[in-house]
Amino acid sequence: EQNIEKHITLGYSLTVEDVSGKGYDMRNTYDRVSVDQKTPQGSSSCDSSDPNTEPDAIAKLFAAQVGKSFGYEMNKRGEVLSVSGTEEFIDGIIAYYEIPEGAQREEMKKTLADQFNDETMTKQIAQLVTTYPDKEVSVGDCWSHSSVVGQGMSMNMETTYTVKEIISKQAMITMKSTIQTSDEPIMQGGMEMVYSLKGDQSGEIIIDLKTGMVVESQVSQKVSGMVDMLPSEQLPDGMNGSMTI
């Protein structure tokens, strides 16, 4: 058993570029990233705002997103309707790595296109915003929302939000979710894998009543279950194991 502790901090700016009857045209720009991790081999830390730190391979993928942006359309409930600019976002990441034209560049572009397409970006944005009810609510009222989050390993979430209290210009909302993976096989590292995981999450969200933006959120999540690597040429008998997040 190996214990790996990792903390990833992403700083981003949300800009309202236009307002229409349908909702808002938004732009998401990543401003800063920091990665701190502890492994049995040692500890490492890097911060894009500190020129004296050098990101490792994992942190580089996040660091490559700093200064890059993409757009999306969001309705007044906070639901994402469409995403734009993903190709430019990917081109910006590739430019960060300074990979010359050729097979390696095309392979990286294909990999990034699987990770940062319209569907995965929509799921990513859904984790940054809160979906609001379609009617006015007050203290004690609640509403529910279904969503699919995650890249590659998708998780179905059923979330109930409850207005805990309203103080001055802010509202505190509690949230409780049940989580379950789709059990559909996915490709990872050339292997076909099935994640059979279940769990829950809970937390509190503070919202600015005037702008509707999340001011602060704290969420705890625990998911566990089995992971099956299906039989293949590399692994004729397949393999399985337990996983906890």
Side-chain angles (χ1 to χ4, degrees):
E1 179 180 342
Q2 284 194 340
N3 293 317
I4 299 175
E5 182 178 340
K6 182 174 294 185
H7 298 274
I8 299 173
T9 302
L10 285 172
Y12 60 92
S13 302
L14 295 177
T15 305
V16 180
E17 296 188 322
D18 193 19
V19 179
S20 66
K22 293 173 61 178
Y24 313 94
D25 289 338
M26 307 289 295
R27 179 151 297 275
N28 188 109
T29 304
Y30 291 105
D31 302 318
R32 170 181 171 265
V33 62
S34 66
V35 179
D36 299 289
Q37 60 181 350
K38 295 180 181 178
T39 70
Q41 290 73 39
S43 302
S44 64
S45 178
C46 67
D47 191 321
S48 63
S49 64
D50 184 354
N52 296 317
T53 59
E54 180 67 26
D56 59 17
I58 295 176
K60 272 188 175 181
L61 181 57
F62 290 100
Q65 300 175 44
V66 174
K68 315 303 186 299
S69 68
F70 60 90
Y72 61 93
E73 184 181 11
M74 182 174 69
N75 67 18
K76 294 181 179 180
R77 289 194 62 198
E79 297 171 323
V80 179
L81 305 177
S82 63
V83 177
S84 60
T86 52
E87 288 191 17
E88 293 82 357
F89 186 80
I90 290 172
D91 288 341
I93 294 176
I94 293 175
Y96 171 88
Y97 284 94
E98 299 181 339
I99 299 175
E101 294 288 346
Q104 184 182 1
R105 185 184 180 95
E106 290 303 312
E107 182 63 29
M108 183 176 189
K109 189 168 186 176
K110 182 177 181 299
T111 300
L112 291 173
D114 290 336
Q115 186 172 355
F116 297 108
N117 55 51
D118 289 0
E119 180 182 358
T120 58
M121 296 296 259
T122 298
K123 293 177 182 177
Q124 182 175 322
I125 298 165
Q127 298 178 67
L128 303 179
V129 298
T130 299
T131 301
Y132 298 113
D134 54 6
K135 60 182 180 181
E136 289 188 7
V137 292
S138 58
V139 175
D141 290 339
C142 59
W143 68 97
S144 300
H145 179 68
S146 301
S147 60
V148 180
V149 301
Q151 298 179 0
M153 180 185 69
S154 295
M155 295 187 289
N156 300 311
M157 297 182 62
E158 296 288 339
T159 303
T160 298
Y161 299 95
T162 303
V163 182
K164 182 178 180 180
E165 60 181 327
I166 297 175
I167 302 176
S168 184
K169 299 178 181 179
Q170 295 181 334
M172 178 178 289
I173 296 172
T174 61
M175 54 93 73
K176 293 184 178 180
S177 305
T178 57
I179 305 170
Q180 183 171 353
T181 53
S182 64
D183 292 344
E184 292 292 328
I186 60 172
M187 293 299 296
Q188 284 190 337
M191 303 286 292
E192 195 171 22
M193 307 180 69
V194 176
Y195 290 87
S196 301
L197 308 175
K198 292 182 179 180
D200 54 55
Q201 74 174 16
S202 60
E204 292 185 342
I205 306 166
I206 298 176
I207 294 174
D208 184 293
L209 292 176
K210 181 178 180 180
T211 64
M213 299 300 296
V214 175
V215 177
E216 180 182 340
S217 66
Q218 296 183 357
V219 179
S220 298
Q221 181 186 94
K222 187 172 184 179
V223 179
S224 61
M226 299 297 295
V227 181
D228 292 302
M229 288 181 278
L230 302 184
S232 63
E233 290 185 7
Q234 303 99 309
L235 201 65
D237 296 328
M239 184 181 294
N240 62 54
S242 60
M243 181 178 185
T244 299
I245 302 175

